[in-house]
Amino acid sequence: MRDSVGNLLADGDAVVLVKDLKVKGAGQTLKRGTMIRSIRLTGDPQEIDCRHESIKGLVLRAEFVKKA
């Protein structure tokens, strides 16, 4: 799986958001530059399972993150 700039991602990596994202169901927006730690890769090659301090069960698309 690759991030928005082509770096390979692995389980446990830290990523940074490259775009402001509205989170459905949480009523909040994650700002560009937000650090997400300890990602987990899923079966879908474009989805990353991760946790944020205020949002549990967050799934992000690989096109919106870059490796930290």
Side-chain angles (χ1 to χ4, degrees), residues 9-68:
L9 296 174
D11 285 339
D13 283 346
V15 295
V16 177
L17 295 179
V18 295
K19 180 181 177 182
D20 289 351
L21 298 175
K22 293 181 182 176
V23 181
K24 292 181 181 177
Q28 124 182 35
T29 301
L30 293 176
K31 299 291 183 185
R32 183 175 63 141
T34 302
M35 174 79 73
I36 305 289
R37 293 182 175 88
S38 301
I39 66 168
R40 288 188 312 261
L41 304 179
T42 62
D44 186 345
Q46 284 299 313
E47 292 185 351
I48 300 168
D49 187 29
C50 53
R51 272 186 275 168
H52 186 261
E53 296 88 30
S54 59
I55 304 169
K56 305 294 184 217
L58 181 64
V59 177
L60 297 174
R61 304 245 336 141
E63 64 196 66
F64 299 124
V65 300
K66 69 177 180 176
K67 193 170 184 176

